[in-house]
Amino acid sequence: MKKLLLIIITIPFIITSCKKDNKSSIVTTPEDPNWIKLEIPNGEAAYAVAGNIDGSLLVTTKAKAYFTTDQGKTWQESKNFNGPIQGLYANKDTVLALLATGGLELEGTLKASIAQFYTLDMGKSWNRYLDYQRAQKISKPIGIVQSAQNKVTYELKYNTKPVSANSNAYTHGPTTILRDGKSIGLPFKVRIENLYMDSNDRLYVAASGGVYNQEKDAFTFNASNTPAVIYVSRKALP
């Protein structure tokens, strides 16, 4: 029987009213022919994505939820979770915020689980999820998605190494995205937190804004001034 290893993150939730921050995103210069780069200033890292860049796009960062309706030109903060939301589970017009992480020991698949809040308008407003029994059963894999059209699987490969011999602490190199087991060859070197694919089979890469130093094989972060970064494929990946 498979054992379930569940790590629950306890977060003191604070409900906030929707407010306009008018935070601008930054597009890579020069523009990449295959990827759009969006940034949420001071977000530190993007953890989960829902929606569509052509309509409403919802993103959770290290502590908060933001949404954009103008393809990332401006972002509005809609909720302060005081901690990362590891997954966004969408069911028709409802998006559930999943606060815990865990995984099956034998399969090694990391999952987000336990719904605490939900939104019916792609992040503009939030409500507490009160179906406690169902909340415990909802889960979503982290860092693995499948295209709807051709059923191709994309997943993350975390490139880590111990800081020293016999150490339990690890450093993170740039994350690799595998397509059916082979690297897709990203033009950017970032630490990736999650993947998402919209109804048009465009891939969204949720990442931290740390800068990679190739000589030191390490990332540097500018504390809370580090942006959350989302890369969006301009078209469906083959």
Side-chain angles (χ1 to χ4, degrees):
M1 180 178 296
K2 297 177 181 177
K3 297 181 180 178
L4 177 65
L5 176 62
L6 181 64
I7 305 169
I8 299 177
I9 301 174
T10 302
I11 301 172
F13 289 96
I14 299 175
I15 300 177
T16 60
S17 60
C18 177
K19 63 179 181 179
K20 291 187 178 181
D21 281 353
N22 294 324
K23 294 188 174 183
S24 299
S25 64
I26 303 173
V27 182
T28 45
T29 304
E31 286 191 0
D32 188 277
N34 299 312
W35 296 91
I36 300 168
K37 181 183 179 184
L38 307 176
E39 291 190 357
I40 304 175
N42 307 319
E44 300 189 50
Y47 280 85
V49 181
N52 192 303
I53 191 174
D54 293 329
S56 293
L57 188 65
L58 172 63
V59 178
T60 59
T61 66
K62 191 171 183 179
K64 302 176 180 180
Y66 294 87
F67 68 90
T68 178
T69 56
D70 56 12
Q71 297 185 321
K73 295 181 178 65
T74 59
W75 295 89
Q76 297 183 48
E77 176 192 331
S78 63
K79 185 166 180 60
N80 187 349
F81 288 104
N82 287 328
I85 291 297
Q86 304 284 349
L88 291 170
Y89 180 90
N91 182 12
K92 298 181 179 179
D93 293 333
T94 303
V95 179
L96 301 169
L98 307 181
L99 68 94
T101 58
L104 293 172
E105 289 182 351
L106 296 181
E107 291 183 3
T109 302
L110 190 64
K111 294 182 179 180
S113 61
I114 305 182
Q116 284 275 316
F117 288 88
Y118 71 94
T119 176
L120 298 173
D121 51 18
M122 201 54 65
K124 296 179 178 65
S125 61
W126 292 88
N127 302 284
R128 186 175 287 275
Y129 192 69
L130 299 178
D131 189 342
Y132 300 111
Q133 291 185 342
R134 176 167 168 73
Q136 305 294 320
K137 299 177 181 179
I138 297 172
S139 66
K140 183 177 182 178
I142 295 175
I144 181 169
V145 293
Q146 188 179 67
S147 64
Q149 296 180 16
N150 51 20
K151 306 302 180 183
V152 173
T153 299
Y154 297 84
E155 60 184 318
L156 297 180
K157 177 186 177 185
Y158 302 101
N159 299 308
T160 60
K161 61 181 181 181
V163 295
S164 61
N166 302 319
S167 174
N168 291 324
Y170 292 84
T171 59
H172 289 259
T175 313
T176 303
I177 299 179
L178 302 178
R179 178 177 57 214
D180 286 343
K182 297 181 180 180
S183 173
I184 67 173
L186 298 173
F188 41 84
K189 294 183 181 295
V190 292
R191 179 172 171 175
I192 303 173
E193 303 293 343
N194 211 342
L195 298 176
Y196 168 72
M197 188 163 282
D198 67 19
S199 58
N200 296 317
D201 278 355
R202 287 176 297 189
L203 187 65
Y204 296 67
V205 178
S208 74
V211 178
Y212 179 64
N213 185 316
Q214 189 165 354
E215 292 183 0
K216 296 182 178 180
D217 191 22
F219 288 95
T220 57
F221 300 88
N222 189 15
S224 60
N225 293 322
T226 302
V229 180
I230 308 98
Y231 292 91
V232 185
S233 64
R234 294 184 181 274
K235 58 183 179 180
L237 296 183

